[in-house]
Amino acid sequence: RKRILDFYHRNSMVAYCTAFAYKPLPRGILDWPEHVYTELVESPSATKVAHGEDVGQRSHSVDSLLELSPASSVEELRVGHMLQSHQTFLGMISLQYQARQDFVQLISKLESACIKFVHFSKENEVRSRVFAEKMGLEAGWNCHVSLMAVSSEPVSSANSSKEDGGRVSRSSGEEDSGDEEEEELDVHSDSRCTSSYVTENTEDSLTGVFDNRAHLPRGIENVRPHLKNVDNVPLLVNLFTDCVPEATQEMIKIMQENGEVVLVVGSSLNMENTSIFLQGDCSIAIEPMYPQLCVRRPVLVQPWAKEDLQPTQLASRALALPCPLFFQRHDNIKLIELIMESRHFILALRNSFYLMLCCSLMLVLSQLLCCLMLLPPPLAVQHELWMVSVVVPALSLSLLGNPNEARTLSMATHKNINLVNKQMVLEFLIQFICRFVPSIFVTLISFALVLNSACARPDHECSLYSSRITGAGNSSDVTAWTIKFQGGLVLAQNIFHLYLAIFMVAVSMSLVHWQDHLWQKLPFKNLVWSITAASIIVLQVLFTVFDVWARHSMYGDQMPLSEVHPSVWVLGCVWPFVAIALNELSKRREIKLALRAQKRARLDFDTKLGMNSPF
């Protein structure tokens, strides 16, 4: 009897419906209405009688106090209790919402991807924690925060079924209120997580394993002060209880203020979810399972068709307008694959823009150094347009053609904080100097050697800097490079232009797979980059030949290639391999730093320690 009572007491707090089975009555009660039933409790004097229409109002708690039926007399009640007093107890069934197995697996995969699954529950602490444990969420120390204001009254179970704020359906049962049990999924990357208030158990809470007296904030208005003055544990918990739509939206806003990226997944049939969908960084609407109100009548027998939408389906589509993605309950939602694709695309975009920025700085810095060295412009107008409009964009965008990798999903992403600190700037400068600056100096040396070869021609007896130094007051000497030495300048500019494009391709080879060395993964696996790099080199050679021929026919002066210093050709042939080796050495250091950052991010994600933690 004690074990039965313990089972009843425990499940009466978390169950949504409880049924008892007894040995059938030997005889019935005369004139007992069919729509009236008795609710048995421990004390016979507390037995209540209720009408059948009241059943729908007490689907959430077996402890609800029901009014006495005016049609029932005290004698009938006494006789009914007497008939059931000495019966044999056969069994008790407790009905609770169960987590779908695919969602349990999804949560496990999200945790391995450093994505925290956060459940916003409208129920109290006890029911929410029981269901959270079924989903595989942690329910130990620092496991949940109640968003109900301290001064507000606890929301009753019967009324809380109507306060559903932005949630994703996952239950297999129905509620008499007509709305299915729903819960919100806020997925955000790389979470790091309270208040001077103690999270006490509610009066319905269970002791023992459900006891949680961690110092966490209670009420949405106390979360920000806790984050500012105590610790960040509220950003690390997986469960928020006593949630209403306004509190849920405000908590998502707090997460975003602290750099979290929030993906909201919720029901498309709750009009209160619209504001929550708009608050999230991204949102997915799912059409939930409709409640089965009648066992003989199927729910929504009409198929989903655009030309014949039922009102409920039309409302579902309308409420899902803020969401980029909309799914039906029975659709095969591959959320993990979507996240992996998006991560891969974002990382590829960052790599692409990094190469584009460095190549643009390479062009600017090379011309600036030429001016400081008192050399003529290394690039003509057509060269600059060709590089900026064709070579740099094509080479950078080709990095987007990398195939997706499974390890992308296990990476911890950065917070969404728009902050550039000194460490980031210093790291970028070191990488740029190691990867690109040596190639700039090699191209400038080649440019200067070609100009020196032009000055050393028998018909041009002068030094490289003579026109710059001695021609300050002579206009004919100032314009000597564009008139007298036009052939040498044209050849020098085109060789500089050709080398610059070749060196950019050589440097980009190490950026194709920035997590692996060349001997671990060849860059030619990126077919888009391979075709683009080969096309750029071929087109660059054709552009150089055409530009030299066109400008020679225009100005008439031409410098033969045989008069170019041999070291220029040696640099052009040898330096691409040296540049690849330097980039691999730089990548080695970059990989070590990335692994260290990943370990630190994983440690920050896995821990929930705060100021009041037991360790």
Side-chain angles (χ1 to χ4, degrees):
R1 177 182 179 85
K2 183 178 181 301
R3 294 178 61 184
I4 292 175
L5 289 178
D6 289 342
F7 181 83
Y8 166 74
H9 285 306
R10 186 179 185 87
N11 286 273
S12 63
M13 297 181 183
V14 298
Y16 290 82
C17 182
T18 305
F20 302 90
Y22 292 90
K23 182 180 177 181
L25 296 177
R27 54 193 176 89
I29 303 176
L30 298 177
D31 301 328
W32 187 270
E34 293 182 356
H35 61 281
V36 176
Y37 67 95
T38 60
E39 178 184 1
L40 298 181
V41 293
E42 297 180 31
S43 175
S45 61
T47 302
K48 303 296 181 181
V49 180
H51 287 283
E53 58 266 17
D54 295 331
V55 177
Q57 301 177 5
R58 56 182 297 277
S59 62
H60 296 281
S61 175
V62 297
D63 298 328
S64 302
L65 295 180
L66 303 173
E67 297 180 357
L68 286 172
S69 170
S72 305
S73 63
V74 179
E75 181 65 22
E76 290 175 338
L77 180 61
R78 187 187 64 82
V79 172
H81 179 71
M82 180 185 63
L83 290 175
Q84 301 185 50
S85 295
H86 300 284
Q87 298 300 312
T88 303
F89 176 74
L90 300 181
M92 169 184 164
I93 297 178
S94 174
L95 300 182
Q96 303 176 15
Y97 288 110
Q98 303 297 324
R100 292 176 53 183
Q101 187 61 29
D102 54 346
F103 261 89
V104 176
Q105 297 174 359
L106 173 64
I107 294 174
S108 177
K109 293 179 181 179
L110 291 175
E111 291 289 335
S112 63
C114 284
I115 301 174
K116 191 170 295 296
F117 183 98
V118 181
H119 170 41
F120 286 84
S121 174
K122 65 180 180 295
E123 302 293 348
N124 57 23
E125 173 188 344
V126 179
R127 285 186 173 178
S128 300
R129 294 185 65 177
V130 169
F131 190 78
E133 287 181 340
K134 293 179 180 179
M135 291 190 296
L137 300 180
E138 186 176 353
W141 190 269
N142 289 349
C143 66
H144 75 277
V145 172
S146 175
L147 297 183
M148 182 175 59
V150 180
S151 58
S152 63
E153 295 295 332
V155 181
S156 64
S157 299
N159 295 332
S160 63
S161 63
K162 301 178 181 178
E163 297 178 359
D164 180 15
R167 323 205 166 192
V168 63
S169 162
R170 75 178 72 244
S171 71
S172 58
E174 298 122 13
E175 298 177 356
D176 293 335
S177 61
D179 292 332
E180 185 185 24
E181 159 71 1
E182 300 167 337
E183 40 199 64
E184 178 168 71
L185 163 68
D186 294 332
V187 181
H188 56 283
S189 298
D190 193 20
S191 299
R192 306 169 164 69
C193 311
T194 108
S195 149
S196 54
Y197 301 94
V198 179
T199 303
E200 299 288 352
N201 291 337
T202 61
E203 59 181 0
D204 293 333
S205 300
L206 297 175
T207 58
V209 296
F210 295 115
D211 192 16
N212 180 41
R213 298 183 180 274
H215 289 257
L216 292 176
R218 183 177 182 87
I220 188 64
E221 68 278 0
N222 296 319
V223 174
R224 283 190 176 92
H226 187 97
L227 293 174
K228 181 179 180 180
N229 302 321
V230 186
D231 54 31
N232 65 337
V233 175
L235 298 178
L236 297 175
V237 300
N238 297 94
L239 177 63
F240 291 91
T241 63
D242 306 303
C243 296
V244 294
E246 295 77 12
T248 302
Q249 183 178 355
E250 187 64 22
M251 189 62 215
I252 294 176
K253 186 177 180 181
I254 292 175
M255 292 177 179
Q256 293 171 334
E257 291 173 357
N258 290 271
E260 308 295 350
V261 181
V262 182
L263 167 65
V264 180
V265 181
S267 171
S268 62
L269 290 177
N270 193 332
M271 58 187 302
E272 294 177 335
N273 289 356
T274 305
S275 59
I276 302 178
F277 287 149
L278 293 172
Q279 183 64 47
D281 296 286
C282 186
S283 52
I284 299 176
I286 300 179
E287 186 185 24
M289 183 178 69
Y290 294 95
Q292 186 77 27
L293 302 180
C294 179
V295 295
R296 297 183 180 89
R297 182 179 302 172
V299 180
L300 292 179
V301 295
Q302 295 292 335
W304 183 280
K306 293 183 178 180
E307 62 274 7
D308 187 20
L309 292 180
Q310 296 188 6
T312 306
Q313 298 168 338
L314 182 60
S316 178
R317 285 292 185 91
L319 295 176
L321 288 178
C323 303
L325 297 176
F326 172 78
F327 297 101
Q328 290 182 267
R329 178 179 176 84
H330 302 290
D331 291 341
N332 186 14
I333 307 174
K334 297 183 178 180
L335 185 60
I336 294 296
E337 286 75 6
L338 287 175
I339 294 175
M340 184 171 63
E341 288 290 340
S342 61
R343 278 191 177 183
H344 168 72
F345 186 70
I346 291 298
L347 292 176
L349 272 180
R350 292 181 60 187
N351 200 22
S352 175
F353 282 116
Y354 172 78
L355 179 60
M356 186 178 296
L357 174 61
C358 291
C359 289
S360 301
L361 291 177
M362 193 176 180
L363 292 173
V364 175
L365 187 59
S366 61
Q367 298 192 71
L368 177 61
L369 291 177
C370 277
C371 293
L372 296 178
M373 296 169 62
L374 303 180
L375 294 176
L379 294 174
V381 176
Q382 62 272 20
H383 297 158
E384 296 179 2
L385 290 176
W386 174 260
M387 294 295 292
V388 174
S389 303
V390 178
V391 176
V392 174
L395 196 60
S396 302
L397 294 177
S398 65
L399 299 182
L400 297 176
N402 280 342
N404 201 349
E405 299 177 355
R407 63 178 174 180
T408 306
L409 193 60
S410 61
M411 294 177 56
T413 57
H414 301 282
K415 281 197 171 187
N416 191 21
I417 298 179
N418 188 17
L419 175 64
V420 179
N421 52 32
K422 294 182 180 180
Q423 184 65 29
M424 296 174 62
V425 176
L426 181 62
E427 185 62 31
F428 173 78
L429 291 177
I430 293 175
Q431 293 295 331
F432 178 76
I433 291 174
C434 296
R435 289 179 179 272
F436 294 89
V437 172
S439 298
I440 295 176
F441 282 108
V442 171
T443 53
L444 290 177
I445 292 173
S446 302
F447 181 68
L449 288 176
V450 176
L451 292 180
N452 187 66
S453 300
C455 294
R457 295 172 64 185
D459 54 340
H460 298 153
E461 295 181 357
C462 67
S463 63
L464 179 60
Y465 290 98
S466 62
S467 61
R468 289 282 181 178
I469 298 175
T470 63
N474 192 340
S475 60
S476 61
D477 290 337
V478 172
T479 58
W481 283 115
T482 58
I483 298 177
K484 185 177 181 180
F485 304 104
Q486 179 67 34
L489 179 61
V490 169
L491 185 60
Q493 287 179 340
N494 279 277
I495 291 178
F496 180 89
H497 188 210
L498 177 63
Y499 282 7
L500 201 61
I502 294 176
F503 296 162
M504 285 182 180
V505 173
V507 172
S508 67
M509 184 178 296
S510 296
L511 295 176
V512 175
H513 302 291
W514 66 275
Q515 294 178 299
D516 302 292
H517 292 287
L518 290 179
W519 56 86
Q520 294 174 338
K521 184 173 293 186
L522 294 176
F524 305 108
K525 291 186 177 180
N526 185 344
L527 188 60
V528 178
W529 177 87
S530 303
I531 297 175
T532 303
S535 303
I536 286 176
I537 294 177
V538 173
L539 293 176
Q540 186 65 44
V541 173
L542 296 177
F543 182 89
T544 301
V545 173
F546 177 78
D547 186 69
V548 172
W549 173 80
R551 295 171 72 178
H552 167 66
S553 61
M554 183 182 300
Y555 298 108
D557 187 17
Q558 183 178 9
M559 178 181 175
L561 298 178
S562 58
E563 297 182 4
V564 178
H565 198 280
S567 59
V568 175
W569 310 119
V570 175
L571 286 175
C573 296
V574 174
W575 183 254
F577 300 98
V578 179
I580 293 174
L582 290 176
N583 276 269
E584 287 303 311
L585 291 176
S586 178
K587 185 194 289 186
R588 180 182 178 84
R589 175 180 176 275
E590 189 176 355
I591 291 176
K592 287 184 178 180
L593 292 177
L595 290 177
R596 185 184 305 170
Q598 284 293 311
K599 291 180 180 179
R600 180 173 299 177
R602 173 68 69 173
L603 181 63
D604 292 342
F605 176 81
D606 291 334
T607 183
K608 288 185 179 179
L609 299 182
M611 293 293 294
N612 302 287
S613 298
F615 304 105

